[in-house]
Amino acid sequence: MTVTRRWVVRLLWILGALVLGFVIYAWRSPIAPVDPPAAGTFDMATIQRGAQLAALGDCATCHTASGGETFAGGRAVATPFGTIYSTNITPDPSSGIGRWSQEAFQRAMREGVNRAGDHLYPAFPYDHFTLVDDRDNAALYAFIMTRQPVQGRTPDNQLSFPLNMRFIIAGWKLFFLRKGPYEQDSNHNAEWNRGAYLANGIGHCGACHTPRNSLGAEIRSQHFGGGEAEGWHAYAINADSRALEAWKAEDLHMYLSNGWHDRHGDAHGPMAAVSQNLSSVPDADVKAIASYVATVIGNQPREKIRPEGASGNDTGAAIYAAACASCHDGSRPLPFGGVKLMLSTAVTGESATNLINVVLEGLRPPEGTTGAIMPGFSSTLTDGQLESLVAYIRSNLGSQLPWTDIESSVREARSRTHD
Ligand code: HEC
Ligand code: HEC
Ligand code: HEC
């Protein structure tokens, strides 16, 4: 053997050992199946607390396909890496999690590993759920295990090699998963800690509101700095918040539990389901979240910038006067009148996406409720008209520097609403 060949062989050995080491590192043992817990195993108070935690965690929102049975899974979660389907978490013994012990359930929540020992994709936000404490996990387990079992397989994930190999996720976790449960921060009082525990844990607010790096992990140094969610922009809810009137704890409390605030507007896109879920949890929990988030946002006054030449957009002005003003500047009482748009972060915020989405799709009240309604304009406005309107609203009503990505945002929003 030549010297170089010998080195190549040695390198291959080292590489092989590294791969083997990683595979061993990634390995998790299966947890033995159990018989589904008998009726009467859990007390009512525990089940009830579990229901509230499930609402805080949006479990049903993600684990129910549109038109499908609650918790039976099959909802597509789009990621930059491919599509991951939520699983059936009803207590069905064959296709659901009916044969999972509480230990197996808690391991999934805390470490993102299923009963068989496979790593789960962080599309299941266990990087937040890891903070949930043992007691709350037990309550969640009691609630889930007492739901109606539904038999039904969910579609296979659409991920390409090598991401379709689950042991790879162990590498992701090594860098990005900080295992819980939550630890109290003694610099803050009990309510703040309660809020941080709920918001960053079961509530997983950062899953949408924190920007992600190229590997899909939240950037911790930009906690709540604004992120993307299902074609919508989840605004910054830290010191970078661009809301014209700084959010206070009372405002957040009202907005989160009613999905609406008279000086901020309403929750739409994926936030509509979040606030809908929060409306069913105890007020003390929402209050704690609100007071925690208010401290993250802080209370600095917003700057109003009136850009030069803001009025020179006749097309936008004319469309606004004809199509929008009657509701948004009229005397129709709130909530049906529509807020003054200068108060909405859709207008003052960091991205044009939500304003464009709302104008195209309009706003329907959530299923089973009555609420504010605005018509959609997707068939009445051309792309060019929509761009002029959005630019007009931004500079004249929002008094902000122009967005630079209006054209591409309109194109993206159109392609989404067409498929
Ligand atoms: C943002 C969407 C989302 C939310 C919210 C969510 N899940 Fe999931 N969950 C998923 C996805 C996607 C998977 C599948 C992950 C995979 O295939 O690796 C999953 C997997 C699971 C699993 C593993 C099941 C199995 O068969 O492997 C459990 C258990 C689970 N979720 C429970 C919950 C509970 C309890 C909640 C609420 C506290 C919840 N999930 C909230 C998306 C979500
Ligand atoms: C599934 C994604 C998602 C989750 C989870 C989520 N949000 Fe949102 N949130 C959004 C989106 C998208 C918007 C913007 C749309 C809108 O204005 O309604 C938003 C808007 C908001 C706003 C309004 C900000 C403004 O300036 O108008 C607040 C406040 C907020 N979210 C707080 C929270 C809190 C607190 C949590 C956790 C309990 C949370 N969100 C969880 C997606 C999410
Ligand atoms: C029939 C009355 C009506 C018309 C016409 C209408 N809106 Fe609305 N709009 C509403 C109502 C009601 C809401 C929901 C309550 C709220 O958020 O103010 C709303 C919400 C909005 C929001 C979200 C505000 C927020 O953050 O909650 C935006 C942005 C918006 N409208 C823009 C427009 C634009 C631009 C037009 C014209 C193309 C328009 N609306 C036409 C009634 C209307």
Side-chain angles (χ1 to χ4, degrees):
M1 272 204 280
T2 65
V3 176
T4 36
R5 240 185 96 190
R6 216 173 295 150
W7 271 105
V8 168
V9 170
R10 269 182 210 170
L11 250 148
L12 284 175
W13 271 106
I14 293 170
L15 217 73
L18 281 174
V19 169
L20 185 71
F22 180 72
V23 168
I24 292 170
Y25 166 79
W27 191 79
R28 293 290 179 284
S29 58
I31 294 178
V34 294
D35 289 332
T41 310
F42 309 102
D43 65 89
M44 268 323 285
T46 307
I47 296 173
Q48 212 168 28
R49 182 59 192 151
Q52 294 160 355
L53 289 159
L56 277 159
D58 306 316
C59 316
T61 306
C62 260
H63 280 275
T64 308
S66 87
E69 303 270 1
T70 309
F71 292 128
R75 174 173 160 163
V77 180
T79 76
F81 315 101
T83 305
I84 298 168
Y85 290 90
S86 63
T87 47
N88 181 342
I89 56 166
T90 72
D92 182 63
S94 59
S95 57
I97 61 170
R99 297 180 68 79
W100 288 37
S101 60
Q102 188 174 316
E103 183 197 354
F105 178 80
Q106 166 142 323
R107 184 172 69 170
M109 293 287 286
R110 183 125 340 134
E111 297 175 38
V113 174
N114 70 12
R115 192 187 64 73
D118 301 319
H119 292 275
L120 292 163
Y121 292 102
F124 167 37
Y126 55 78
D127 49 338
H128 293 276
F129 294 163
T130 187
L131 297 182
V132 175
D133 64 25
D134 294 11
R135 192 156 161 254
D136 282 350
N137 274 326
L140 261 171
Y141 179 74
F143 172 69
I144 299 276
M145 292 319 245
T146 48
R147 295 310 91 200
Q148 188 64 38
V150 178
Q151 159 87 50
R153 303 242 160 246
T154 51
D156 289 334
N157 296 332
Q158 288 156 10
L159 293 164
S160 47
F161 179 83
L163 291 174
N164 55 358
M165 298 190 302
R166 287 184 177 273
F167 76 90
I168 297 273
I169 307 166
W172 188 91
K173 289 179 182 173
L174 183 62
F175 289 104
F176 303 121
L177 179 65
R178 271 192 221 155
K179 252 174 64 175
Y182 178 79
E183 276 167 32
Q184 298 287 316
D185 181 342
S186 56
N187 295 319
H188 295 278
N189 66 15
E191 189 181 47
W192 186 96
N193 273 290
R194 179 93 193 126
Y197 167 73
L198 292 171
N200 295 327
I202 190 80
H204 66 281
C205 313
C208 295
H209 285 279
T210 300
R212 292 175 187 268
N213 65 20
S214 58
L215 293 171
E218 287 166 38
I219 304 170
R220 285 177 193 272
S221 60
Q222 296 176 39
H223 183 234
F224 286 177
E228 307 306 319
E230 302 159 44
W232 292 77
H233 183 75
Y235 307 122
I237 48 169
N238 60 9
D240 293 334
S241 162
R242 305 279 188 86
L244 181 63
E245 295 193 358
W247 286 96
K248 295 191 285 295
E250 310 87 81
D251 307 340
L252 287 161
H253 178 212
M254 175 176 179
Y255 174 87
L256 292 172
S257 44
N258 297 301
W260 185 74
H261 187 275
D262 59 355
R263 304 286 295 164
H264 286 282
D266 69 358
H268 25 261
M271 192 63 200
V274 173
S275 60
Q276 178 80 4
N277 291 338
L278 289 177
S279 70
S280 71
V281 313
D283 209 42
D285 286 345
V286 184
K287 242 185 175 147
I289 293 175
S291 68
Y292 161 72
V293 174
T295 65
V296 179
I297 292 181
N299 199 16
Q300 58 279 55
R302 308 277 160 252
E303 256 181 86
K304 252 183 119 172
I305 312 154
R306 180 155 277 281
E308 302 260 340
S311 52
N313 178 347
D314 295 344
T315 317
I319 299 171
Y320 181 79
C324 321
S326 64
C327 288
H328 286 283
D329 291 326
S331 50
R332 300 210 321 163
L334 293 168
F336 298 100
V339 288
K340 295 264 175 289
L341 291 184
M342 61 184 280
L343 291 171
S344 168
T345 314
V347 171
T348 58
E350 57 269 33
S351 157
T353 302
N354 296 6
L355 175 57
I356 293 166
N357 287 347
V358 170
V359 173
L360 285 175
E361 296 169 19
L363 294 172
R364 283 171 301 275
E367 244 169 86
T369 62
T370 52
I373 301 171
M374 164 177 154
F377 292 86
S378 64
S379 52
T380 38
L381 293 178
T382 65
D383 286 5
Q385 288 170 327
L386 181 54
E387 284 158 27
S388 305
L389 173 66
V390 167
Y392 167 81
I393 292 175
R394 171 71 170 177
S395 52
N396 288 62
L397 306 176
S399 300
Q400 297 291 320
L401 296 175
W403 280 309
T404 52
D405 60 345
I406 296 180
E407 216 184 304
S408 58
S409 304
V410 166
R411 221 178 308 121
E412 274 170 40
R414 284 278 195 201
S415 67
R416 266 197 311 274
T417 41
H418 275 205
D419 55 34

mmCIF file of all heavy atoms in Angstrom, residues 58 199 203-205 208-209 229-230 232-237 241 243 247 252 255-256 264 266-268 270-271 274 278 289 293 345 354, ligand 2:
data_model
loop_
_atom_site.group_PDB
_atom_site.id
_atom_site.type_symbol
_atom_site.label_atom_id
_atom_site.label_comp_id
_atom_site.label_asym_id
_atom_site.label_seq_id
_atom_site.Cartn_x
_atom_site.Cartn_y
_atom_site.Cartn_z
ATOM 1 N N ASP A 58 -52.773 24.193 21.160
ATOM 2 C CA ASP A 58 -53.329 24.082 19.803
ATOM 3 C C ASP A 58 -53.255 22.658 19.256
ATOM 4 O O ASP A 58 -53.102 22.457 18.041
ATOM 5 C CB ASP A 58 -52.603 25.028 18.818
ATOM 6 C CG ASP A 58 -52.590 26.473 19.294
ATOM 7 O OD1 ASP A 58 -53.651 26.931 19.770
ATOM 8 O OD2 ASP A 58 -51.547 27.133 19.214
ATOM 9 N N ALA A 199 -46.224 30.623 27.752
ATOM 10 C CA ALA A 199 -46.014 31.182 26.405
ATOM 11 C C ALA A 199 -44.901 30.445 25.663
ATOM 12 O O ALA A 199 -45.037 30.116 24.485
ATOM 13 C CB ALA A 199 -45.694 32.672 26.507
ATOM 14 N N GLY A 203 -47.748 26.988 25.024
ATOM 15 C CA GLY A 203 -48.321 27.963 24.077
ATOM 16 C C GLY A 203 -47.513 28.138 22.796
ATOM 17 O O GLY A 203 -48.020 28.667 21.820
ATOM 18 N N HIS A 204 -46.256 27.737 22.801
ATOM 19 C CA HIS A 204 -45.315 27.791 21.659
ATOM 20 C C HIS A 204 -45.491 29.023 20.769
ATOM 21 O O HIS A 204 -45.451 28.920 19.537
ATOM 22 C CB HIS A 204 -45.375 26.489 20.842
ATOM 23 C CG HIS A 204 -46.661 26.188 20.118
ATOM 24 N ND1 HIS A 204 -47.758 25.668 20.736
ATOM 25 C CD2 HIS A 204 -47.024 26.350 18.816
ATOM 26 C CE1 HIS A 204 -48.728 25.514 19.862
ATOM 27 N NE2 HIS A 204 -48.305 25.925 18.684
ATOM 28 N N CYS A 205 -45.631 30.211 21.394
ATOM 29 C CA CYS A 205 -45.800 31.441 20.620
ATOM 30 C C CYS A 205 -44.621 31.650 19.663
ATOM 31 O O CYS A 205 -44.805 32.093 18.530
ATOM 32 C CB CYS A 205 -45.900 32.657 21.547
ATOM 33 S SG CYS A 205 -47.036 32.463 22.938
ATOM 34 N N CYS A 208 -44.205 30.535 15.789
ATOM 35 C CA CYS A 208 -44.580 31.414 14.682
ATOM 36 C C CYS A 208 -43.894 32.774 14.784
ATOM 37 O O CYS A 208 -43.508 33.348 13.781
ATOM 38 C CB CYS A 208 -46.089 31.613 14.655
ATOM 39 S SG CYS A 208 -47.006 30.100 14.316
ATOM 40 N N HIS A 209 -43.737 33.285 15.998
ATOM 41 C CA HIS A 209 -43.291 34.672 16.153
ATOM 42 C C HIS A 209 -41.778 34.854 16.216
ATOM 43 O O HIS A 209 -41.305 35.978 16.359
ATOM 44 C CB HIS A 209 -43.925 35.293 17.405
ATOM 45 C CG HIS A 209 -45.380 35.638 17.224
ATOM 46 N ND1 HIS A 209 -45.794 36.786 16.597
ATOM 47 C CD2 HIS A 209 -46.508 34.974 17.555
ATOM 48 C CE1 HIS A 209 -47.118 36.837 16.565
ATOM 49 N NE2 HIS A 209 -47.577 35.732 17.146
ATOM 50 N N ALA A 229 -45.712 32.142 9.141
ATOM 51 C CA ALA A 229 -46.614 31.053 9.492
ATOM 52 C C ALA A 229 -47.675 30.890 8.415
ATOM 53 O O ALA A 229 -48.517 31.772 8.238
ATOM 54 C CB ALA A 229 -47.283 31.329 10.847
ATOM 55 N N GLU A 230 -47.601 29.810 7.673
ATOM 56 C CA GLU A 230 -48.635 29.445 6.695
ATOM 57 C C GLU A 230 -49.002 30.601 5.765
ATOM 58 O O GLU A 230 -50.177 30.871 5.530
ATOM 59 C CB GLU A 230 -49.892 28.945 7.421
ATOM 60 C CG GLU A 230 -49.632 27.753 8.337
ATOM 61 C CD GLU A 230 -50.711 27.591 9.398
ATOM 62 O OE1 GLU A 230 -51.903 27.701 9.056
ATOM 63 O OE2 GLU A 230 -50.347 27.362 10.571
ATOM 64 N N TRP A 232 -48.568 33.755 6.257
ATOM 65 C CA TRP A 232 -48.841 34.985 6.991
ATOM 66 C C TRP A 232 -47.587 35.391 7.735
ATOM 67 O O TRP A 232 -46.730 34.560 8.022
ATOM 68 C CB TRP A 232 -49.978 34.781 8.014
ATOM 69 C CG TRP A 232 -51.298 34.557 7.367
ATOM 70 C CD1 TRP A 232 -51.714 33.387 6.794
ATOM 71 C CD2 TRP A 232 -52.362 35.496 7.196
ATOM 72 N NE1 TRP A 232 -52.981 33.546 6.290
ATOM 73 C CE2 TRP A 232 -53.407 34.827 6.525
ATOM 74 C CE3 TRP A 232 -52.538 36.833 7.563
ATOM 75 C CZ2 TRP A 232 -54.605 35.451 6.193
ATOM 76 C CZ3 TRP A 232 -53.731 37.456 7.242
ATOM 77 C CH2 TRP A 232 -54.749 36.771 6.556
ATOM 78 N N HIS A 233 -47.489 36.672 8.059
ATOM 79 C CA HIS A 233 -46.370 37.127 8.871
ATOM 80 C C HIS A 233 -46.832 37.238 10.320
ATOM 81 O O HIS A 233 -47.824 37.904 10.603
ATOM 82 C CB HIS A 233 -45.856 38.475 8.374
ATOM 83 C CG HIS A 233 -44.672 38.944 9.131
ATOM 84 N ND1 HIS A 233 -43.408 38.399 8.954
ATOM 85 C CD2 HIS A 233 -44.553 39.842 10.133
ATOM 86 C CE1 HIS A 233 -42.565 38.968 9.796
ATOM 87 N NE2 HIS A 233 -43.230 39.845 10.533
ATOM 88 N N ALA A 234 -46.132 36.557 11.207
ATOM 89 C CA ALA A 234 -46.425 36.680 12.641
ATOM 90 C C ALA A 234 -45.538 37.816 13.155
ATOM 91 O O ALA A 234 -44.331 37.666 13.266
ATOM 92 C CB ALA A 234 -46.131 35.367 13.358
ATOM 93 N N TYR A 235 -46.153 38.951 13.439
ATOM 94 C CA TYR A 235 -45.417 40.178 13.740
ATOM 95 C C TYR A 235 -44.447 40.010 14.898
ATOM 96 O O TYR A 235 -44.646 39.170 15.776
ATOM 97 C CB TYR A 235 -46.396 41.302 14.121
ATOM 98 C CG TYR A 235 -47.486 41.544 13.127
ATOM 99 C CD1 TYR A 235 -48.820 41.439 13.501
ATOM 100 C CD2 TYR A 235 -47.186 41.880 11.815
ATOM 101 C CE1 TYR A 235 -49.836 41.666 12.593
ATOM 102 C CE2 TYR A 235 -48.194 42.107 10.896
ATOM 103 C CZ TYR A 235 -49.516 41.993 11.288
ATOM 104 O OH TYR A 235 -50.510 42.211 10.389
ATOM 105 N N ALA A 236 -43.455 40.903 14.908
ATOM 106 C CA ALA A 236 -42.560 40.971 16.059
ATOM 107 C C ALA A 236 -43.394 41.307 17.293
ATOM 108 O O ALA A 236 -44.218 42.221 17.256
ATOM 109 C CB ALA A 236 -41.499 42.044 15.824
ATOM 110 N N ILE A 237 -43.208 40.542 18.352
ATOM 111 C CA ILE A 237 -43.853 40.875 19.620
ATOM 112 C C ILE A 237 -42.778 40.992 20.697
ATOM 113 O O ILE A 237 -42.893 40.481 21.803
ATOM 114 C CB ILE A 237 -44.988 39.892 20.021
ATOM 115 C CG1 ILE A 237 -44.554 38.427 19.886
ATOM 116 C CG2 ILE A 237 -46.241 40.143 19.199
ATOM 117 C CD1 ILE A 237 -45.553 37.433 20.514
ATOM 118 N N SER A 241 -41.572 45.402 17.963
ATOM 119 C CA SER A 241 -42.983 45.524 17.571
ATOM 120 C C SER A 241 -43.227 46.868 16.895
ATOM 121 O O SER A 241 -42.764 47.900 17.364
ATOM 122 C CB SER A 241 -43.886 45.399 18.809
ATOM 123 O OG SER A 241 -45.172 45.913 18.504
ATOM 124 N N ALA A 243 -46.373 47.963 16.183
ATOM 125 C CA ALA A 243 -47.739 48.423 16.432
ATOM 126 C C ALA A 243 -47.694 49.904 16.786
ATOM 127 O O ALA A 243 -46.840 50.332 17.557
ATOM 128 C CB ALA A 243 -48.366 47.625 17.573
ATOM 129 N N TRP A 247 -48.277 47.718 22.763
ATOM 130 C CA TRP A 247 -49.152 46.763 23.446
ATOM 131 C C TRP A 247 -48.916 46.791 24.941
ATOM 132 O O TRP A 247 -47.789 46.637 25.407
ATOM 133 C CB TRP A 247 -48.845 45.354 22.954
ATOM 134 C CG TRP A 247 -49.330 45.026 21.580
ATOM 135 C CD1 TRP A 247 -48.610 45.096 20.432
ATOM 136 C CD2 TRP A 247 -50.634 44.523 21.223
ATOM 137 N NE1 TRP A 247 -49.388 44.670 19.368
ATOM 138 C CE2 TRP A 247 -50.621 44.320 19.831
ATOM 139 C CE3 TRP A 247 -51.788 44.236 21.949
ATOM 140 C CZ2 TRP A 247 -51.737 43.833 19.149
ATOM 141 C CZ3 TRP A 247 -52.886 43.758 21.262
ATOM 142 C CH2 TRP A 247 -52.860 43.563 19.881
ATOM 143 N N LEU A 252 -53.149 43.032 25.499
ATOM 144 C CA LEU A 252 -52.803 41.673 25.075
ATOM 145 C C LEU A 252 -53.799 40.672 25.646
ATOM 146 O O LEU A 252 -54.224 39.737 24.971
ATOM 147 C CB LEU A 252 -51.385 41.321 25.533
ATOM 148 C CG LEU A 252 -50.271 42.024 24.753
ATOM 149 C CD1 LEU A 252 -48.965 41.993 25.535
ATOM 150 C CD2 LEU A 252 -50.078 41.383 23.379
ATOM 151 N N TYR A 255 -56.949 40.977 23.567
ATOM 152 C CA TYR A 255 -56.724 40.483 22.205
ATOM 153 C C TYR A 255 -56.603 38.954 22.198
ATOM 154 O O TYR A 255 -57.201 38.273 21.365
ATOM 155 C CB TYR A 255 -55.452 41.132 21.664
ATOM 156 C CG TYR A 255 -54.987 40.629 20.319
ATOM 157 C CD1 TYR A 255 -55.467 41.185 19.132
ATOM 158 C CD2 TYR A 255 -54.034 39.615 20.216
ATOM 159 C CE1 TYR A 255 -55.023 40.737 17.901
ATOM 160 C CE2 TYR A 255 -53.584 39.163 18.986
ATOM 161 C CZ TYR A 255 -54.082 39.727 17.832
ATOM 162 O OH TYR A 255 -53.638 39.277 16.613
ATOM 163 N N LEU A 256 -55.828 38.416 23.133
ATOM 164 C CA LEU A 256 -55.590 36.968 23.128
ATOM 165 C C LEU A 256 -56.858 36.196 23.472
ATOM 166 O O LEU A 256 -57.106 35.134 22.924
ATOM 167 C CB LEU A 256 -54.466 36.599 24.110
ATOM 168 C CG LEU A 256 -53.065 37.090 23.713
ATOM 169 C CD1 LEU A 256 -52.080 36.843 24.850
ATOM 170 C CD2 LEU A 256 -52.569 36.421 22.437
ATOM 171 N N HIS A 264 -56.329 47.862 18.120
ATOM 172 C CA HIS A 264 -55.305 47.093 17.409
ATOM 173 C C HIS A 264 -55.842 46.265 16.251
ATOM 174 O O HIS A 264 -55.083 45.841 15.392
ATOM 175 C CB HIS A 264 -54.587 46.133 18.372
ATOM 176 C CG HIS A 264 -53.628 46.820 19.306
ATOM 177 N ND1 HIS A 264 -52.374 47.228 18.914
ATOM 178 C CD2 HIS A 264 -53.741 47.175 20.607
ATOM 179 C CE1 HIS A 264 -51.745 47.800 19.940
ATOM 180 N NE2 HIS A 264 -52.558 47.790 20.980
ATOM 181 N N ASP A 266 -58.029 42.798 14.697
ATOM 182 C CA ASP A 266 -58.356 41.439 15.128
ATOM 183 C C ASP A 266 -57.311 40.431 14.680
ATOM 184 O O ASP A 266 -56.388 40.743 13.939
ATOM 185 C CB ASP A 266 -59.772 41.046 14.688
ATOM 186 C CG ASP A 266 -59.895 40.874 13.196
ATOM 187 O OD1 ASP A 266 -58.893 41.098 12.477
ATOM 188 O OD2 ASP A 266 -60.991 40.539 12.752
ATOM 189 N N ALA A 267 -57.468 39.199 15.211
ATOM 190 C CA ALA A 267 -56.508 38.132 14.929
ATOM 191 C C ALA A 267 -56.976 37.395 13.692
ATOM 192 O O ALA A 267 -58.094 36.892 13.663
ATOM 193 C CB ALA A 267 -56.442 37.181 16.120
ATOM 194 N N HIS A 268 -56.132 37.361 12.659
ATOM 195 C CA HIS A 268 -56.528 36.605 11.479
ATOM 196 C C HIS A 268 -55.417 35.649 11.071
ATOM 197 O O HIS A 268 -54.372 35.581 11.713
ATOM 198 C CB HIS A 268 -56.935 37.537 10.342
ATOM 199 C CG HIS A 268 -56.334 38.894 10.412
ATOM 200 N ND1 HIS A 268 -57.011 39.975 10.911
ATOM 201 C CD2 HIS A 268 -55.112 39.330 10.081
ATOM 202 C CE1 HIS A 268 -56.228 41.029 10.877
ATOM 203 N NE2 HIS A 268 -55.067 40.661 10.380
ATOM 204 N N PRO A 270 -53.367 32.319 10.871
ATOM 205 C CA PRO A 270 -53.181 31.284 11.895
ATOM 206 C C PRO A 270 -53.417 31.794 13.319
ATOM 207 O O PRO A 270 -53.645 31.007 14.222
ATOM 208 C CB PRO A 270 -51.722 30.846 11.730
ATOM 209 C CG PRO A 270 -51.222 31.494 10.502
ATOM 210 C CD PRO A 270 -52.169 32.544 10.066
ATOM 211 N N MET A 271 -53.369 33.126 13.509
ATOM 212 C CA MET A 271 -53.586 33.663 14.854
ATOM 213 C C MET A 271 -55.052 33.551 15.256
ATOM 214 O O MET A 271 -55.374 33.565 16.444
ATOM 215 C CB MET A 271 -53.102 35.122 14.923
ATOM 216 C CG MET A 271 -53.022 35.688 16.316
ATOM 217 S SD MET A 271 -51.824 34.811 17.367
ATOM 218 C CE MET A 271 -52.411 35.302 18.988
ATOM 219 N N VAL A 274 -55.424 30.433 17.193
ATOM 220 C CA VAL A 274 -54.737 30.545 18.488
ATOM 221 C C VAL A 274 -55.634 31.271 19.488
ATOM 222 O O VAL A 274 -55.843 30.804 20.613
ATOM 223 C CB VAL A 274 -53.375 31.271 18.336
ATOM 224 C CG1 VAL A 274 -52.741 31.542 19.696
ATOM 225 C CG2 VAL A 274 -52.420 30.463 17.459
ATOM 226 N N LEU A 278 -57.473 30.096 22.908
ATOM 227 C CA LEU A 278 -57.211 30.748 24.195
ATOM 228 C C LEU A 278 -58.496 31.222 24.869
ATOM 229 O O LEU A 278 -58.535 31.412 26.078
ATOM 230 C CB LEU A 278 -56.253 31.931 24.013
ATOM 231 C CG LEU A 278 -54.801 31.562 23.684
ATOM 232 C CD1 LEU A 278 -53.973 32.820 23.458
ATOM 233 C CD2 LEU A 278 -54.177 30.721 24.795
ATOM 234 N N ILE A 289 -49.855 35.029 30.498
ATOM 235 C CA ILE A 289 -49.177 35.114 29.197
ATOM 236 C C ILE A 289 -49.077 36.581 28.778
ATOM 237 O O ILE A 289 -48.026 37.061 28.362
ATOM 238 C CB ILE A 289 -49.937 34.297 28.124
ATOM 239 C CG1 ILE A 289 -49.872 32.804 28.436
ATOM 240 C CG2 ILE A 289 -49.368 34.578 26.729
ATOM 241 C CD1 ILE A 289 -50.692 31.923 27.488
ATOM 242 N N VAL A 293 -45.699 38.626 27.995
ATOM 243 C CA VAL A 293 -45.405 39.140 26.647
ATOM 244 C C VAL A 293 -45.254 40.665 26.685
ATOM 245 O O VAL A 293 -44.402 41.235 25.990
ATOM 246 C CB VAL A 293 -46.485 38.704 25.629
ATOM 247 C CG1 VAL A 293 -46.254 39.349 24.264
ATOM 248 C CG2 VAL A 293 -46.507 37.182 25.470
ATOM 249 N N THR A 345 -51.263 46.701 12.810
ATOM 250 C CA THR A 345 -49.880 46.330 12.488
ATOM 251 C C THR A 345 -49.791 45.791 11.058
ATOM 252 O O THR A 345 -48.715 45.715 10.489
ATOM 253 C CB THR A 345 -49.342 45.310 13.515
ATOM 254 O OG1 THR A 345 -49.685 45.752 14.823
ATOM 255 C CG2 THR A 345 -47.829 45.196 13.454
ATOM 256 N N ASN A 354 -49.623 40.431 5.307
ATOM 257 C CA ASN A 354 -50.940 40.275 5.920
ATOM 258 C C ASN A 354 -51.965 41.246 5.343
ATOM 259 O O ASN A 354 -53.122 40.877 5.139
ATOM 260 C CB ASN A 354 -50.855 40.443 7.441
ATOM 261 C CG ASN A 354 -50.016 39.360 8.101
ATOM 262 O OD1 ASN A 354 -49.411 38.542 7.419
ATOM 263 N ND2 ASN A 354 -49.974 39.359 9.415
HETATM 264 C C1 HEC B 2 -49.580 29.292 14.375
HETATM 265 C C2 HEC B 2 -48.820 30.499 14.415
HETATM 266 C C3 HEC B 2 -48.965 31.407 15.618
HETATM 267 C C4 HEC B 2 -48.883 31.078 16.946
HETATM 268 C C5 HEC B 2 -48.666 29.701 17.565
HETATM 269 C C6 HEC B 2 -49.050 32.305 17.665
HETATM 270 N N1 HEC B 2 -49.221 33.360 16.813
HETATM 271 FE FE1 HEC B 2 -49.573 35.296 17.314
HETATM 272 N N2 HEC B 2 -49.795 35.787 15.377
HETATM 273 C C7 HEC B 2 -49.614 34.925 14.309
HETATM 274 C C8 HEC B 2 -49.838 35.644 13.076
HETATM 275 C C9 HEC B 2 -49.732 35.072 11.674
HETATM 276 C C10 HEC B 2 -50.164 36.958 13.439
HETATM 277 C C11 HEC B 2 -50.482 38.113 12.505
HETATM 278 C C12 HEC B 2 -51.857 38.046 11.973
HETATM 279 C C13 HEC B 2 -52.767 38.917 12.729
HETATM 280 O O1 HEC B 2 -52.520 40.093 12.844
HETATM 281 O O2 HEC B 2 -53.761 38.415 13.246
HETATM 282 C C14 HEC B 2 -50.133 37.011 14.889
HETATM 283 C C15 HEC B 2 -50.429 38.148 15.643
HETATM 284 C C16 HEC B 2 -50.215 38.251 17.000
HETATM 285 C C17 HEC B 2 -50.337 39.471 17.757
HETATM 286 C C18 HEC B 2 -50.711 40.847 17.203
HETATM 287 C C19 HEC B 2 -49.485 41.667 17.025
HETATM 288 C C20 HEC B 2 -49.762 43.015 16.419
HETATM 289 O O3 HEC B 2 -48.900 43.891 16.533
HETATM 290 O O4 HEC B 2 -50.850 43.188 15.817
HETATM 291 C C21 HEC B 2 -50.038 39.161 19.063
HETATM 292 C C22 HEC B 2 -50.006 40.117 20.232
HETATM 293 C C23 HEC B 2 -49.747 37.750 19.108
HETATM 294 N N3 HEC B 2 -49.866 37.232 17.846
HETATM 295 C C24 HEC B 2 -49.392 37.074 20.257
HETATM 296 C C25 HEC B 2 -49.220 35.686 20.311
HETATM 297 C C26 HEC B 2 -48.991 34.963 21.537
HETATM 298 C C27 HEC B 2 -48.858 35.572 22.906
HETATM 299 C C28 HEC B 2 -48.912 33.637 21.194
HETATM 300 C C29 HEC B 2 -48.747 32.447 22.097
HETATM 301 C C30 HEC B 2 -49.757 32.273 23.106
HETATM 302 C C31 HEC B 2 -49.076 33.557 19.757
HETATM 303 N N4 HEC B 2 -49.258 34.818 19.267
HETATM 304 C C32 HEC B 2 -49.034 32.387 19.050
HETATM 305 C C33 HEC B 2 -49.288 33.594 14.378
HETATM 306 C C34 HEC B 2 -49.177 32.842 15.550
#
